[in-house]
Amino acid sequence: MNILVCVKQVPDMESAFHVAADGSRIEEEHLVWRMNEYDRYAVEQALLLKDRLTECTVTALSLGPDRVVEVITKALAMGCDNGVHIADSTGDVTAPLDVAEAIAAHAKEQTYDLILTGMQSEDLGSGMVGVLIGEILSLPSITGVVSFELANGQYILTRELEQGMRASVTAPSPAVITCQTGLNTPRYPTFPNIMKARNKPLRTRCVTTLLPTSRQQQEVSYSVPEKPACTILEGPPEHLAQILADMLRPYVHAASLKGKTT
Amino acid sequence: MKLLLIAEQRDGVLSKHITDLIGFADQHGKEQCMFLVGYKKTLPPARGTLYLCDAGKHGEYNPATHLNAIQTVVAREQPDLVVLLHSSYGADLAPRIAYALGALCITGVTEYRQQNADGTSCNAFVTSAYNGKLQRTVRTTAKQAVITIQPGLSGLPDMSDMSGTAVSVPACTSYTPVSAEKDTRVLFSGYIQPEGCTAALDKAQIIVCAGRGAADRESLTLVKALAKKLGGEHAATRPVIDANAMEASRQIGVTGQSTLSQLHLSCGASGALQHLAGITTQQLIAITTDEKAPISNRADTLVVADVKALLPLLLAKLSESKS
């Protein structure tokens, strides 16, 4: 079985984000980068299949500037067999359709039985890339999967809906599946695997060969949202606890009254 | 400007956010029509033509089949904008429609502007980015776009019957049937009902909710103790549930429970949109170390502190006051 798992590098969401002067992008200095949370579940799902099957190769792919090699290396350290870096030195290829076209162009040359992605990215959260890869390659795609099984060459899946509802879905192979958090428990790389990861094959492909022309019809700008009024309390914990206690005391009183009557 | 609204239903129950679609269309369009894969016995409210694709025949979930039916409607109506809800159904379908039409796709839209601040016309869609810390505005000259809007989007006209001034839209009495070529690759074999919510979060007046910053055992013990002290229920955000630190029925958000409380005390939650969507409360107090966290957009009071440091002190003070 041949599996492609797509991973995105995103900034740590705890970071303070600053918009560049022209508004077109965020300042990347001082940002700490890591693997998109949803994609960790996709990598783990690929590795769970690899653990079970005798013949299974897992390729980890990421698109972006040189810094994204770090997340490919992370996926290799988790246990993926080889990496593909679709190099975009400009960092301009971020529109979901562009990203999907480039990944699909790569996938078309290989024969993958399964393409896994995260359900969405933490930074932009469009949730489109996985579905679009499926549409471009004319493969069925199933989104937001929270349980996964492979039986008789078919994927038996559970999609997460709203309010705790889920749906059972069966899909043939090959397919594109996007992973929701909670699907599994992503593993941490072990030290021997981190060492091994450095010697695993990494193929670099230039994004312009896979995506000769962008179909982007959009111009993007970023801004800081206006915040509605909110009282901010700061200071030593002792002081804050006192203020909060004063605010919450009526509730405690009501609760104790209720306790007495019942 | 003509809008095609894609409504949704599950098991014969219409989404309560269909009125969000209509409200959005009222605000931005001259003309609107609606498409639904559903049943003729439960027709949604709509203005303009309702196109109905029989869910009994075509399946409640089958993206390729539904796409095929929508393409038929698009060919007939030639809408400028196809609008879906940002839900498990809409977010799944929107990119497929956009790809088939060669249209631009923008998901999770929180605001649509047809006019710049200086009065000139534009076509700009605003979405939330970087965990709500930034706003992303997509301007386009594309002729056709497919978007999903956040359910419960603010700024929409109130469509409920509750207040005297509200506009209500009656349910349709007639429809135009649409059929589709059935795609048989993906098989839907039924819904799985949620495990019963033992906590009855939807009825709780006071909720103390743990987020990623309070997902450890020690913090959760404190959160539960505080909930008990206040006579409320404890709850959590998705990351806490994913880590198996609390039972799944106590999750608040789009994929979990929706709450309607007097007091919501948020402990260590960043305030992702999907989580905030499940909170309706009179007073939201948030304890977080990250002053810029998106929960600050919704909180009435933001307490900048570490949950583990603050809650023991708070619990002690609340016990004092009792005696």
Side-chain angles (χ1 to χ4, degrees), chain A residues 91-110:
Chain A
D92 284 342
V93 181
T94 56
L97 184 58
D98 284 350
V99 173
E101 294 268 18
I103 295 172
H106 164 79
K108 212 175 277 178
E109 297 168 10
Q110 315 289 319

Side-chain angles (χ1 to χ4, degrees), chain A residues 151-215:
Chain A
N152 306 320
Q154 290 218 307
Y155 302 112
I156 300 163
L157 311 164
T158 307
R159 287 188 73 219
E160 188 174 59
L161 312 175
E162 283 75 25
Q163 262 114 47
M165 282 273 269
R166 286 163 294 156
S168 296
V169 176
T170 309
S173 183
V176 180
I177 295 170
T178 81
C179 305
Q180 168 66 291
T181 61
L183 168 63
N184 48 44
T185 310
R187 66 193 69 185
Y188 288 100
T190 58
F191 184 70
N193 280 340
I194 293 171
M195 299 310 288
K196 264 192 255 171
R198 295 182 190 171
N199 299 319
K200 287 181 177 173
L202 173 70
R203 182 178 173 198
T204 306
R205 313 196 63 178
C206 184
V207 73
T208 50
T209 60
L210 294 168
L211 180 79
T213 48
S214 164
R215 289 212 262 151

